[in-house]
């Protein structure tokens, strides 16, 4: 099977993982990305203009005359390009920001016309007025696995003193709401005797992220909205406690796990963070994410491709 992929940037790490997994299952992928500067993994349009996205269309149209079985639009703002070619059936994957952010109306409209739609969480499916398939981006369970904190901290250069809270996004990302994370950690300091350090980790190679997750005492996610945040799933794969806002599929992922808390208010987030930092217990989060391994989600996506091609 040959698939033409449209994506804001082929450097998006979870998109590249998807491609690698599908290729291991026998899918040949051609990738066209949006010209221009791009900064973030989730398709955010910071640094991209309408003209940049418009410049993708002639390339998508020309490629659609090639020997492909379908076109897969990854992220909502690439959907118009896929739908405006006359040759190939269209699979549309929505990632979260594209549905709940400022361009959500574009994504919802395009979803009605795609042959099949993939979303990251049940909440995203509920936000659409068409049928969709919940297939979150898979995670690499071989790479993301628990290990002792001490050697991980040595590798990343963190001290063994006090608590380390990981915020795995750029502080300038408005949707990730770093100021709230900073407030929550600052308030938690009043309830704990040992110092707390908030680490905003971004731009490091993906292969190094397991070290940061295992070095941390907790992951703190304070996003305004998400689809199915990979950072939470990767933290669970490392059995790292998670404290998060009620976004995307986070509540479902964390439901019933000890040392995992979902909060709507700052006070609830502070209470949750203090609770996990005071405890030496780690959640058995890895058991929760076995069903969303890269292999499993890749097989689901391949099955959907076959349905589109055969249908």
């Amino acid at each position: 099977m040959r698939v033409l992929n449209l994506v804001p940037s082929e450097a998006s790490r979870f998109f590249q993982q998807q491609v690698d997994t599908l290729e291991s299952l026998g899918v040949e992928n051609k990738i066209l990305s949006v010209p221009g500067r791009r900064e973030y993994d989730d398709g955010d349009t910071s640094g991209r203009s309408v003209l940049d996205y418009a410049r993708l269309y002639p390339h998508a149209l020309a490629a659609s005359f090639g020997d492909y079985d379908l076109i897969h639009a990854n992220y909502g703002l690439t959907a118009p390009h896929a739908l405006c070619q006359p040759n190939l059936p269209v699979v549309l994957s929505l990632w979260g920001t594209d549905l709940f952010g400022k361009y959500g109306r574009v994504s919802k409209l395009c979803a009605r016309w795609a042959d099949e739609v993939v979303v990251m969480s049940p909440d995203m499916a509920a936000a659409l007025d068409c049928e969709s398939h919940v297939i979150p981006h898979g995670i690499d369970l071989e790479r993301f696995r628990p290990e002792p904190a001490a050697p991980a901290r040595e590798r990343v250069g963190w001290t063994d003193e006090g608590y380390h809270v990981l915020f795995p996004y750029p502080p300038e990302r408005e949707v990730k709401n770093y100021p709230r994370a900073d407030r929550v950690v600052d308030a938690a300091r009043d309830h704990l005797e040992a110092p707390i350090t908030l680490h905003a980790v971004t731009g490091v190679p993906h292969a190094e992220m397991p070290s940061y997750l295992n070095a941390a005492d907790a992951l703190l996610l304070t996003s305004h909205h998400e689809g199915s945040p990979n950072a939470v799933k990767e933290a669970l794969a490392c059995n790292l406690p998670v404290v998060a806002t009620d976004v995307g599929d986070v509540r479902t992922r964390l439901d019933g796990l000890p040392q995992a808390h979902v909060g709507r208010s700052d006070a609830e987030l502070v209470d949750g963070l203090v609770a996990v930092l005071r405890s030496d217990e780690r959640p058995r989060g890895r058991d929760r994410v076995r069903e969303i391994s890269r292999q499993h989600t890749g097989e689901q996506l391949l099955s959907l491709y076959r349905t589109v091609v055969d249908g």
Side-chain angles (χ1 to χ4, degrees), residues 267-278:
E268 290 176 345
L269 293 171
V270 171
D271 289 345
L273 184 60
V274 169
V276 301
L277 294 180
R278 281 178 172 166

Side-chain angles (χ1 to χ4, degrees), residues 20-306:
D20 290 345
T21 302
L22 287 170
E23 288 184 345
S24 74
L25 295 171
V27 177
E28 295 182 39
N29 290 280
K30 166 72 173 179
I31 302 169
L32 297 179
S33 57
V34 178
R37 184 172 63 88
R38 184 187 173 280
E39 299 174 359
Y40 305 123
D41 278 338
D42 61 358
D44 188 280
T45 55
S46 297
R48 292 298 178 86
S49 68
V50 173
L51 179 60
D52 288 329
Y53 273 85
R55 287 164 57 198
L56 175 63
Y57 177 66
H59 302 286
L61 178 61
S64 74
F65 288 89
D67 184 21
Y68 299 103
D69 295 291
L70 61 89
I71 186 168
H72 188 166
N74 297 271
Y75 193 75
L77 289 183
T78 67
H81 309 70
L83 293 168
C84 288
Q85 54 75 38
N87 301 304
L88 302 172
V90 176
V91 173
L92 167 61
S93 283
L94 300 176
W95 290 356
T97 303
D98 48 357
L99 181 58
F100 296 127
K102 69 184 288 189
Y103 297 106
R105 292 180 63 184
V106 174
S107 297
K108 290 180 181 179
L109 179 62
C110 290
R112 298 175 188 171
W113 295 98
D115 293 277
E116 296 288 354
V117 179
V118 175
V119 293
M120 302 295 111
S121 70
D123 283 350
M124 292 181 67
L128 296 174
D129 56 4
C130 62
E131 292 186 3
S132 62
H133 304 268
V134 179
I135 308 176
H137 289 117
I139 57 173
D140 188 340
L141 292 177
E142 293 300 316
R143 173 175 289 175
F144 290 89
R145 54 193 312 116
E147 68 165 303
R153 288 179 182 174
E154 184 175 354
R155 285 197 300 274
V156 303
W158 293 358
T159 177
D160 278 333
E161 298 179 359
Y163 302 108
H164 296 275
V165 177
L166 178 62
F167 181 86
Y169 304 108
E172 64 270 18
R173 286 295 311 278
E174 183 179 355
V175 69
K176 305 301 183 183
N177 202 355
Y178 177 81
R180 189 177 198 184
D182 193 41
R183 288 198 311 270
V184 168
V185 169
D186 191 50
R189 291 189 176 101
D190 295 335
H191 301 276
L192 297 164
E193 294 182 1
I196 310 175
T197 303
L198 176 62
H199 301 272
V201 175
T202 183
V204 303
H206 193 225
E208 296 179 14
M209 283 307 298
S211 294
Y212 287 93
L213 290 165
N214 282 295
D217 295 292
L219 177 88
L220 180 59
L221 181 139
T222 50
S223 300
H224 293 297
H225 49 77
E226 293 278 358
S228 179
N230 273 30
V232 169
K233 294 179 288 190
E234 290 168 351
L236 292 177
C238 295
N239 288 337
L240 177 66
V242 175
V243 178
T245 46
D246 192 3
V247 291
D249 64 354
V250 170
R251 183 175 289 278
T252 300
R253 299 276 174 217
L254 302 185
D255 185 44
L257 275 178
Q259 309 311 312
H261 295 266
V262 176
R264 287 191 169 91
S265 67
D266 281 14
E268 290 176 345
L269 293 171
V270 171
D271 289 345
L273 184 60
V274 169
V276 301
L277 294 180
R278 281 178 172 166
S279 174
D280 292 330
E281 184 181 357
R282 290 252 173 170
R284 294 182 60 85
R286 189 172 179 83
D287 294 338
R288 288 290 182 89
V289 293
R290 294 188 189 279
E291 67 184 43
I292 50 171
S293 68
R294 286 176 55 182
Q295 183 72 18
H296 181 65
T297 57
E299 290 169 353
Q300 288 180 293
L301 199 53
L302 177 56
S303 177
L304 183 63
Y305 284 174
R306 288 171 174 158

